[in-house]
């Protein structure tokens, strides 16, 4: 509370220093809204959004007038004033504060229904990803009036096209107790992508007097215009139908092939045509039939549990590759290379991996029984494992030598407020707080091999580093379906202002690219690594009338644009500091895969009590071994053992040194629960370059053997990169 009071006081002082004219404008607009309690608030909200930013929008001293926050929360003000202030906050990019204020009015039983409906409509018009999440929760609340549920669901659809919105509207359309609510649900559905299936109902509503009839007439007029355009595409329909028919008539099928017979069914051919058509536009489009869509929805609900283990097929047998530390499989005693041949009463012979994994999943707090074979056992044993919801942290952090903070983001998610699980932005903020408290001088933000996730989570992470109301990303698509969205940083200074370097590579995609691009464009951090993947598009699930709405098209409906207006889709982002490709030779990759696949190093660490005898030496060498294989105890015995086991592979001392380091880090993670040993500064060229770049911003690096080695390796990599560029004819700096 004291922190909020001081922040408000600071902002109030900023307003006074900027002049009282803005404050007077805010007060007069709010007073005008209070004097006309029946007037819609949209005009007042627009005016407030125009005058309530003190200072130029992108200037470092720009702040939102604190009177807006106060007005949105002040219960003594009229409903219209509070709603206008909250709506203005939404327009200014203050998504959480604005959404909270609008939601309070929409869900208040003592507020007139007209205002509650207006509040719900505002969320769909000016809300963002946070409003999307809140709308989903609001729709689950008990005793929400039907008309309000219709407006909330329609707003949710406008923001995200979520299946939940369709389900609510369809339920009220068919079973609503209010005739007006049923009619409004019908018209809301008709304004989505369901018009064709509801055309007759809309036509009937168009004959009724009043606002319902007028809305129905307008919907028909708009769709009739689209129908004229659709008629021009009749050739496409005729062509696909004819091709399918001729395949059915003339294709020389194999009568003995049952799978092929299924693929030649008209529905299967039509679905294959749809998939090929969608994929021809871009690789992120897809057609999801009824079964695919059901699986997709079940994953979204996240109400299933698992055993917490990496699994796979080895020599045709379903095998535990690695149990996750302190997860159910680990606590039940399962170990790497355990073979499972029965789950409950189901024998796994000839079953596919995905089907087997489905047997392991189930509701949390239920027990699954697995029959396990282990090399050290004479007979198999049955092991009972109690399922849990398995959460893999999206954020890991540690302090690197030289007081360099390190945060790795594996993916982006919003967390789960019901189970008090923080989203990625909250975890990053916690990590920054702890690193700063422990004396970090700067930060390496590692986004390599991050495939993305929830886009707004990436935006929220960017807000921790970028402030002053700057644009982080913009999405633009077809105006009749996906409205433009501009996502901005908060006004004022960001949470973290120390030097940052961002690591990217070809596995950096989607939300991770948005974060990296915003950091680069606003000169907040240089990028180190390799060109990113280039996934900058928005997909939406659209119902298919022909499949009675049981199937979905996953279609690209918008593209993301960085602050400099670049579209990253299919182009990616070039780093400021490039690192040469560190590809392994085929022979080396094959040898390292076999060693890891068979867990040779971990078994070697455990045999003859070797880990217990040399634990401290292994830990010290993992931090720095001076690139010396012989520094490891009993190294020669391990080298001989591996060369004997894999006589056809190219295994030398340097390869085994690298594998020992990987094996020790994996052992500490999987059997000791220590996550802070997976950053290998001797092997990771991306981090070596990032450290050297960051060192220039934090006053230099310590003179230690480790940093001397890193400096030497970086110089070698830069020389290699210059030779690559020269070979490609690129100009030298």
């Amino acid at each position: 509370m004291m922190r909020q009071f001081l922040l408000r006081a600071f902002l109030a002082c900023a307003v006074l220093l900027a002049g009282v004219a803005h404050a007077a404008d805010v007060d007069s607009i709010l007073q005008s809204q209070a004097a006309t309690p029946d007037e819609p608030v949209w005009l007042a909200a627009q005016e407030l959004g125009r005058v309530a930013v003190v200072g130029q929008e992108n200037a470092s001293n720009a702040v939102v007038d604190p009177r807006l926050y106060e007005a949105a929360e002040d219960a003594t003000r009229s409903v219209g004033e509070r709603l206008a202030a909250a709506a203005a906050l939404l327009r200014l990019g203050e998504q959480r504060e604005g959404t909270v204020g609008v939601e309070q009015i929409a869900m208040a039983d003592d507020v007139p229904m007209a205002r509650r409906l207006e509040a719900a409509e505002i969320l769909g018009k000016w809300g963002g990803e946070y409003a999307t999440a809140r709308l989903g929760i609001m729709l689950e609340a008990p005793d929400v009036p039907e008309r309000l549920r219709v407006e909330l669901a329609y707003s949710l659809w406008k923001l995200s096209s979520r299946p939940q919105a369709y389900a609510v509207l369809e339920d009220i359309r068919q079973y609503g107790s209010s005739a007006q609510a049923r009619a409004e649900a019908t018209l809301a559905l008709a304004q989505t992508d369901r018009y064709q299936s509801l055309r007759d109902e809309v036509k009937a509503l168009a004959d009724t007097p009043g606002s319902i009839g007028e809305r129905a007439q307008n919907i028909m007029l708009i769709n009739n215009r689209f129908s004229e355009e659709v008629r021009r595409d009749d050739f496409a329909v005729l062509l696909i139908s004819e091709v399918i028919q001729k395949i059915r008539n003339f294709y020389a099928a194999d009568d003995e092939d049952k799978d092929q017979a299924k693929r030649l069914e008209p529905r299967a051919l039509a679905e294959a045509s749809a998939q090929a058509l969608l994929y021809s536009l871009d690789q992120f489009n897809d057609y999801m039939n009824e079964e695919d869509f059901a699986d997709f929805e079940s994953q979204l609900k996240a109400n299933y549990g698992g055993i917490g283990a990496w699994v796979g097929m080895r020599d045709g047998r379903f095998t535990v590759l690695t149990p996750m530390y302190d997860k159910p499989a680990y606590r039940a005693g399962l170990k790497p290379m355990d073979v499972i041949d029965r789950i409950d009463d189901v024998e796994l012979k000839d079953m596919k991996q995905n089907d087997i994994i489905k047997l392991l999943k189930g509701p949390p707090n239920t027990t699954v029984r697995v029959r396990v074979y282990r090399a050290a056992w004479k007979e198999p044993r049955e092991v009972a494992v109690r399922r849990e919801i398995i959460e893999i942290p999206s954020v890991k952090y540690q302090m690197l030598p030289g007081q360099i903070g390190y945060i790795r983001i594996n993916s982006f998610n919003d967390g789960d407020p019901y189970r008090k699980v923080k989203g990625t932005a909250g975890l990053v903020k916690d990590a920054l707080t702890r690193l700063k408290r422990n004396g970090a001088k700067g930060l390496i933000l590692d986004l390599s091999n991050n495939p993305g996730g929830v886009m707004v989570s990436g935006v929220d992470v960017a807000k921790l580093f970028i402030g002053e109301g700057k644009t982080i990303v913009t999405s633009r698509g077809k105006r009749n379906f996906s409205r433009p969205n501009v996502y901005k940083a908060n006004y004022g200074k960001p949470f973290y202002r120390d030097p940052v370097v961002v690591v990217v590579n070809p596995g950096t995609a989607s939300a991770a690219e948005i974060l990296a691009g915003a950091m680069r464009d606003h000169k907040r951090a240089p990028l180190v690594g390799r060109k990113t993947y280039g996934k900058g598009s928005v997909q939406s699930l659209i119902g298919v009338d022909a499949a009675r709405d049981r199937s979905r098209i996953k279609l690209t409906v918008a593209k993301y644009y960085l602050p400099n207006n670049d579209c990253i889709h299919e182009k990616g982002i070039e780093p400021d500091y490039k690192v040469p490709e560190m590809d392994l030779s085929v022979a080396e990759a094959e040898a390292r895969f076999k060693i890891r696949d068979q867990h040779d190093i971990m078994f070697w660490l455990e045999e003859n009590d070797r880990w217990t005898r040399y634990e401290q030496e292994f830990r010290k060498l993992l931090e720095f071994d001076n690139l010396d294989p012989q520094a490891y105890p009993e190294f020669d015995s391990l080298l001989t053992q591996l060369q004997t086991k894999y006589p056809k592979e190219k295994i030398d001392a340097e390869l085994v040194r690298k594998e020992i380091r990987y094996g020790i880090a994996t052992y500490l993670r999987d059997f000791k629960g220590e996550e802070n040993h997976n950053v290998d500064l001797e092997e990771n060229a991306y981090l070596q370059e990032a450290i050297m770049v960051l060192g220039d911003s934090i006053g230099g690096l310590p003179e230690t053997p480790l940093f001397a080695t890193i400096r030497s390796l970086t110089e070698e990599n830069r020389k290699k990169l210059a030779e690559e560029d020269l070979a490609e004819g690129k100009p030298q700096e």
Side-chain angles (χ1 to χ4, degrees), residues 297-305 362-364 389:
E297 281 194 308
S298 69
Q299 292 177 31
L300 283 182
K301 291 176 182 175
N303 60 353
Y304 59 86
I389 293 178

Side-chain angles (χ1 to χ4, degrees), residues 203-225:
K203 186 176 181 180
L205 290 173
D207 291 333
T208 61
S211 61
I212 292 291
E214 291 178 3
R215 280 183 62 191
Q217 291 172 19
N218 289 332
I219 292 170
M220 289 180 64
L221 180 63
I222 292 170
N223 280 278
N224 285 340
R225 290 176 183 170

Side-chain angles (χ1 to χ4, degrees), residues 449-497:
N449 297 317
N450 181 326
V454 178
M455 187 276 290
V456 72
S457 178
V459 170
D460 286 343
V461 173
K463 290 179 180 179
L464 296 172
F465 301 95
I466 300 169
E468 303 163 8
K470 293 177 180 176
T471 296
I472 294 171
V473 69
T474 303
S475 70
R476 296 199 293 268
K478 275 203 167 185
R479 290 185 178 275
N480 65 313
F481 187 83
S482 180
R483 65 186 182 85
N485 266 315
V486 180
Y487 298 88
K488 293 190 174 187
N490 299 324
Y491 287 88
K493 297 295 183 182
F495 177 76
Y496 187 84
R497 285 176 276 172

Side-chain angles (χ1 to χ4, degrees), residues 592-609:
R592 295 182 76 167
F593 171 79
K594 288 186 176 181
I595 292 170
R596 295 182 186 187
D597 184 58
Q598 297 299 314
H599 298 272
D600 288 312
I601 302 298
M602 281 194 283
F603 289 139
W604 178 78
L605 290 171
E606 286 195 321
E607 73 181 12
N608 299 326
D609 210 23

